[in-house]
């Protein structure tokens, strides 16, 4: 894998497009997971957001060199066009990433700031904490991994570390009993099944490196 000292608009655009591909490639499995512990619509909602993001990415001016623009386009798509609870939460995360990149450029430090701010926003809106078996359980370790990465680290390496931490968080949700959402009513029946929203966070960070075509490797 090649790395660079900084990202650019091409890199952030590619990241969002790979995230869309990853969502489509894993939609069936995401839906199956959510049918076990949720409303069964997470895979559909994530791909709807991905498709909306692609439409907005395609509408960006050709030759646009603003690295925050693809992130903002994806954020707006998830905030404005996706139903359920997942769309707005992913929109908040992407919006925070876009704001940090707009302020400081697409650096490791900016990604750390954006993910940390996005996590704080999600926790304010959703009132979820680590251990509740939600996407917060994947996003928290991802944010910690980014903050622990030296500021001069190439962004690709930092995002890869965040992806590894996110997947570990995803796997941890299989061992948790849900305290929020529909799965909280299922008790022991939801144990052993990873939280679909957390899986979505894993997909987001992993897509910085490439398209995720299957989940078994990551879910263990």
């Amino acid at each position: 894998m090649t790395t660079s000292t900084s990202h650019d608009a091409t890199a952030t655009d590619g990241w969002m497009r790979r995230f869309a591909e990853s969502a489509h490639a894993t939609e069936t499995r995401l839906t199956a997971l959510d049918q076990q512990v949720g409303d069964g619509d997470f895979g559909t909602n994530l791909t709807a957001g991905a498709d909306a993001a692609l439409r907005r990415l395609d509408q960006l001016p050709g030759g646009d060199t603003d690295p925050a623009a693809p992130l903002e386009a994806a954020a707006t798509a998830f905030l404005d066009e996706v139903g359920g609870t997942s769309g707005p939460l992913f929109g908040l995360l992407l919006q925070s990433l876009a704001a940090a990149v707009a302020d400081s450029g697409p650096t490791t430090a900016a990604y750390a700031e954006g993910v940390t701010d996005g996590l704080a926003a999600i926790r304010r809106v959703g009132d979820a904490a680590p251990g509740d078996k939600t996407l917060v359980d994947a996003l928290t370790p991802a944010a910690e991994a980014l903050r622990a990465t030296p500021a001069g680290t190439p962004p690709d390496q930092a995002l890869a570390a965040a992806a590894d931490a996110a997947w570990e968080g995803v796997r941890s949700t299989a061992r948790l009993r849900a305290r929020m959402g529909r799965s909280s009513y299922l008790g022991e029946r939801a144990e052993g099944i990873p939280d679909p929203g957390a899986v979505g966070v894993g997909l987001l960070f992993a897509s910085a490196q490439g398209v995720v075509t299957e989940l078994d490797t990551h879910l263990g």
Side-chain angles (χ1 to χ4, degrees), residues 34-63:
D34 201 39
Q35 286 172 341
Q36 293 177 279
V37 298
D39 296 324
D41 60 356
F42 180 74
T44 300
N45 287 340
L46 192 66
T47 53
D51 288 341
L54 288 174
R55 290 193 295 270
R56 289 177 180 268
L57 289 171
D58 289 339
Q59 292 168 3
L60 291 175

Side-chain angles (χ1 to χ4, degrees), residues 10-11 24 26 45 56 71 76 84 88 99 117 132 139 154 157 171 173 183 192 194 210:
T10 300
H24 274 282
T26 59
N45 287 340
R56 289 177 180 268
L71 299 170
T76 303
D117 290 349
D132 286 345
L139 190 54
Q157 292 181 12
R171 290 187 288 271
T173 64
S183 58

Side-chain angles (χ1 to χ4, degrees), residues 131-160:
D132 286 345
K133 196 181 175 98
T134 71
L135 62 82
V136 167
D137 291 298
L139 190 54
T140 298
E144 291 172 348
L146 285 168
R147 289 198 299 270
T149 303
T153 302
D156 288 340
Q157 292 181 12
L159 290 169

Side-chain angles (χ1 to χ4, degrees), residues 21-31 203 212-215:
E21 288 187 61
S22 297
H24 274 282
T26 59
E27 179 183 4
T28 299
R29 185 69 188 281
L30 287 170
T31 297
L203 287 177
V212 179
T213 58
E214 56 84 26
L215 293 177

Side-chain angles (χ1 to χ4, degrees), residues 4-22:
S4 58
T5 56
S6 66
H7 271 192
D8 55 18
T10 300
T12 53
D13 181 88
W15 180 9
M16 293 300 99
R17 291 181 185 276
R18 289 190 296 273
F19 180 41
E21 288 187 61
S22 297

Side-chain angles (χ1 to χ4, degrees), residues 183-196:
S183 58
S184 65
Y185 299 104
L186 300 178
E188 293 180 355
R189 287 178 292 169
E191 293 183 19
I193 303 167
D195 177 72

Side-chain angles (χ1 to χ4, degrees), residues 94-183:
L94 292 167
Q95 189 176 61
S96 295
L97 275 168
V101 169
D103 287 343
S104 306
T107 64
T108 290
Y111 288 137
E113 177 186 351
V115 173
T116 298
D117 290 349
L119 172 61
I122 287 171
R123 292 194 60 179
R124 285 195 302 270
V125 170
D127 200 29
D132 286 345
K133 196 181 175 98
T134 71
L135 62 82
V136 167
D137 291 298
L139 190 54
T140 298
E144 291 172 348
L146 285 168
R147 289 198 299 270
T149 303
T153 302
D156 288 340
Q157 292 181 12
L159 290 169
D164 289 342
W167 287 124
E168 183 60 36
V170 169
R171 290 187 288 271
S172 77
T173 64
R175 302 188 291 270
L176 297 173
R177 178 172 292 193
R179 295 198 289 261
M180 299 192 72
R182 182 177 181 273
S183 58

